[in-house]
Amino acid sequence: NHDQINNASNNETKALIKKYTTILILAFIGLFDTILMTFGKQLESQTSLNGICRTPLCSSVSNSVYSLLFGFLPLNLIGTMTYLLLAILTNELLRKLRMNSALVNNSVTVFMQDTIVWLTLAMFIFSCYLMYVMTMILSVKCIYCIISFFVSTSLCILSITNHKFNRMSYIGTFLSVLFSILLAFTSHSINSSSPSNSIPQFQHTTAPKPMHSSQSNTQTSRQTPIKK
């Protein structure tokens, strides 16, 4: 019986290590994606890289008032810090699980797993709001925003899968959902009423057609006054 318990504990630990290793990889992908969105302009101006996120469609998202939380906090920078926090937290959890399989049900590791669920759930809900803004309000498609949405969705699904919920987990999950919805609603209300709220329009201009020499001479003769 003791050996069976140890085998079950080892199998559970291996499954958790595999799960959170995948979450760590996705967190780094999301981190790289948000870094490109946040510092793309600076990278272009200082290096030979072109077109990182400066296409008209990407610019309409990054230059929109909806790219700011409460009208003054850059969402790209917040996303970068969130992915970084998730990566640090997941890496520390993996370190504990690899160090000792008996820490699977430890109160600290359980709380860290709960925190990852709350964090990824909040990221997913806010990403849904940003996708709504991008498609329904700005009517554009930014590839970096879409990548971030799919990454946050995958992170949320992975963190919830086979998670052992308890009373504290359910309370934290409810508060995370409530906080995310209130945050998105408040930010949207502030940004919508902002006087600088405008959706950029992109117009393609065509170069003027060159005039033939006969047309140019005719036009010049018309404009030249006749001396009497």
Side-chain angles (χ1 to χ4, degrees), residues 75-88:
L75 283 177
N76 290 341
L77 184 59
I78 295 175
T80 301
M81 300 303 296
T82 305
Y83 278 117
L84 181 61
L85 175 62
L86 178 63
I88 293 173

Side-chain angles (χ1 to χ4, degrees), residues 16-32:
L16 286 176
I17 290 175
K18 184 178 179 180
K19 169 184 174 178
Y20 288 104
T21 300
T22 307
I23 289 178
L24 182 62
I25 294 172
L26 287 173
F28 277 116
I29 293 174
L31 178 63
F32 181 71

Side-chain angles (χ1 to χ4, degrees), residues 92-154:
E92 180 63 19
L93 176 60
L94 284 170
R95 188 186 67 82
K96 289 182 178 296
L97 292 175
R98 287 167 178 156
M99 183 175 59
N100 188 354
S101 60
L103 295 176
V104 171
N105 297 318
N106 181 271
S107 59
V108 176
T109 56
V110 169
F111 178 75
M112 292 174 72
Q113 294 177 59
D114 287 340
T115 305
I116 291 175
V117 170
W118 302 335
L119 188 60
T120 55
L121 186 59
M123 293 167 64
F124 167 70
I125 293 174
F126 207 81
S127 292
C128 290
Y129 159 69
L130 294 179
M131 286 296 291
Y132 162 77
V133 171
M134 185 185 73
T135 56
M136 304 303 294
I137 298 179
L138 298 178
S139 299
V140 296
K141 293 180 182 179
C142 174
I143 184 62
Y144 298 98
C145 305
I146 296 174
I147 291 174
S148 183
F149 171 74
F150 279 110
V151 169
S152 61
T153 302
S154 301

Side-chain angles (χ1 to χ4, degrees), residues 99-227:
M99 183 175 59
N100 188 354
S101 60
L103 295 176
V104 171
N105 297 318
N106 181 271
S107 59
V108 176
T109 56
V110 169
F111 178 75
M112 292 174 72
Q113 294 177 59
D114 287 340
T115 305
I116 291 175
V117 170
W118 302 335
L119 188 60
T120 55
L121 186 59
M123 293 167 64
F124 167 70
I125 293 174
F126 207 81
S127 292
C128 290
Y129 159 69
L130 294 179
M131 286 296 291
Y132 162 77
V133 171
M134 185 185 73
T135 56
M136 304 303 294
I137 298 179
L138 298 178
S139 299
V140 296
K141 293 180 182 179
C142 174
I143 184 62
Y144 298 98
C145 305
I146 296 174
I147 291 174
S148 183
F149 171 74
F150 279 110
V151 169
S152 61
T153 302
S154 301
L155 285 170
C156 183
I157 294 173
L158 272 173
S159 64
I160 294 176
T161 302
N162 297 328
H163 183 72
K164 295 180 179 179
F165 285 93
N166 52 36
R167 185 176 180 181
M168 181 62 68
S169 302
Y170 283 119
I171 294 175
T173 301
F174 172 75
L175 292 177
S176 176
V177 172
L178 182 63
F179 173 77
S180 304
I181 294 175
L182 289 176
L183 189 68
F185 179 78
T186 305
S187 179
H188 183 76
S189 300
I190 293 174
N191 291 336
S192 298
S193 60
S194 174
S196 59
N197 181 20
S198 60
I199 302 175
Q201 301 291 332
F202 299 98
Q203 298 177 351
H204 297 281
T205 57
T206 57
K209 296 181 179 180
M211 291 187 299
H212 296 289
S213 58
S214 58
Q215 292 179 343
S216 178
N217 294 334
T218 305
Q219 202 170 35
T220 305
S221 61
R222 289 178 181 176
Q223 293 177 355
T224 305
I226 301 174
K227 297 183 180 180

Side-chain angles (χ1 to χ4, degrees), residues 53-63 140-141 200-202 204:
C53 193
R54 309 310 301 169
T55 63
L57 296 183
C58 286
S59 297
S60 66
V61 175
S62 60
N63 295 332
V140 296
K141 293 180 182 179
Q201 301 291 332
F202 299 98
H204 297 281

